[in-house]
Amino acid sequence: MSNTVWINALAELQQQGEPCVLVTIIEERGSTPRNAGSKMVVSRERLYDTIGGGHLEYKAQKIAREMLENRVRETRLERFSLGASLGQCCGGATVLLFEPMGQPQAHIAVFGAGHVGRALVPLLASLPCKVRWIDSRESEFPAQIPAGVEKVVNDEVVDEVENMPAGSYFIVMTHNHQLDLELTAAILERGDFTYYGLIGSQSKRAKFEHRLRDRGFQPETVQRMRCPMGIAEVKGKLPVEIAVSIAGEVIATYNANFGEKSADGEKPVPMLVPAARRSQTG
């Protein structure tokens, strides 16, 4: 019976796009509360199944939640002696394996449900990304939204910028240049993004740079905006060609080691900043 609990939990959490950690007893010596192979699943809110309860389970849960909080993607091994320090009297030892599951490599906000947005979002949904797709026009969204994508209809589109976690990816491709500008200002104001891409040409970029400077944005801040966005070598004007180019740049960004910036002891925020400037962001 217990076997199905953690399996069902994993499937359910994956479907919801919610990260979790699978904890497995992989070695036991002496007397231990549960056998090797016993598993439990830890999400941010809940525990599914058990590895024997008590202080060992409590410590395992604490480690798993720290891993979730810090978006750790590597597996981890921990050895516990089941003595007085763990409040266990059985005197054995246990080795636990912690496996992060379904942890998105990128939280992405896509603003705009036009032709390119409709081509791009299904590509992003097939990657290890958590996508929020935002537009003020309900009618622009397709009838079927890809699994794992959250559709957001909001008249005040710019308000959605602050609803993303630190280190997010922002992609702006709305139907309105003024709205693009207001979104750009809100995103650059935040400054804690990993990637910001704006659809458009070099001339659109030049206009935006001028307007943003008039609003008091520093050149190095504006420089972090990708416009035109996407991989330049992937040419083409069809929505799917543009979408593939943008998705490629997103993949290149989350797989690259751009260094991390940690402010005031908060969890690190990956920063898409060239090495030459990285020292100036501390």
Side-chain angles (χ1 to χ4, degrees):
M1 170 66 184
S2 181
N3 263 354
T4 62
V5 174
W6 67 266
I7 291 172
N8 291 345
L10 271 186
E12 191 182 313
L13 291 166
Q14 191 168 16
Q15 197 175 12
Q16 294 165 358
E18 184 171 342
C20 59
V21 176
L22 178 62
V23 183
T24 308
I25 299 178
I26 61 163
E27 189 185 341
E28 31 159 11
R29 291 190 185 147
S31 173
T32 61
R34 289 293 297 272
N35 296 336
S38 298
K39 296 176 186 284
M40 75 172 178
V41 173
V42 184
S43 73
R44 285 197 175 92
E45 305 292 329
R46 290 187 59 189
L47 280 184
Y48 304 82
D49 227 321
T50 180
I51 54 167
H55 205 54
L56 173 69
E57 186 162 292
Y58 172 76
K59 287 207 64 150
Q61 173 189 329
K62 193 161 179 285
I63 289 168
R65 295 236 161 97
E66 279 169 9
M67 289 172 73
L68 288 170
E69 180 65 22
N70 294 314
R71 299 188 198 176
V72 173
R73 293 199 293 274
E74 296 76 30
T75 56
R76 177 169 165 180
L77 278 176
E78 291 282 342
R79 185 180 185 279
F80 299 91
S81 298
L82 302 182
S85 66
L86 273 182
Q88 309 268 20
C89 55
C90 32
T94 297
V95 177
L96 298 183
L97 172 66
F98 295 81
E99 296 177 273
M101 312 291 274
Q103 187 67 269
Q105 293 193 193
H107 287 259
I108 304 180
V110 177
F111 292 90
H115 295 302
V116 180
R118 290 198 292 273
L120 175 63
V121 167
L123 291 178
L124 298 178
S126 66
L127 298 171
C129 300
K130 192 162 186 177
V131 181
R132 298 184 86 233
W133 193 7
I134 303 152
D135 203 303
S136 59
R137 305 162 301 163
E138 168 83 57
S139 59
E140 287 298 303
F141 289 98
Q144 287 295 109
I145 301 294
V149 173
E150 182 187 356
K151 177 176 94 170
V152 180
V153 180
N154 186 345
D155 285 338
E156 303 300 327
V157 172
V158 180
D159 289 354
E160 290 297 327
V161 171
E162 65 188 34
N163 291 334
M164 295 297 290
S168 289
Y169 291 54
F170 293 91
I171 294 171
V172 169
M173 43 177 65
T174 80
H175 57 295
N176 181 303
H177 270 235
Q178 187 58 36
L179 179 55
D180 282 356
L181 182 64
E182 297 309 323
L183 283 165
T184 300
I187 292 160
L188 294 181
E189 187 75 45
R190 274 192 64 153
D192 60 357
F193 53 89
T194 295
Y195 173 90
Y196 170 44
L198 170 68
I199 201 161
S201 60
Q202 284 291 356
S203 64
K204 179 176 178 179
R205 181 186 183 99
K207 280 180 195 155
F208 272 45
E209 283 184 347
H210 182 72
R211 288 178 185 174
L212 290 163
R213 274 201 301 274
D214 286 350
R215 293 190 185 200
F217 284 95
Q218 295 303 308
E220 58 269 24
T221 303
V222 177
Q223 205 54 43
R224 294 185 61 207
M225 171 177 77
R226 290 284 300 162
C227 178
M229 66 174 148
I231 296 170
E233 291 77 7
V234 181
K235 303 197 185 299
K237 296 202 165 135
L238 293 174
V240 70
E241 290 169 332
I242 299 166
V244 166
S245 167
I246 296 165
E249 189 163 79
V250 166
I251 294 166
T253 305
Y254 71 59
N255 281 332
N257 297 312
F258 284 97
E260 294 190 326
K261 175 185 176 184
S262 181
D264 304 322
E266 291 174 14
K267 66 180 173 218
V269 176
M271 303 295 282
L272 182 57
V273 180
R277 286 215 313 277
R278 205 178 300 151
S279 58
Q280 298 169 26
T281 64

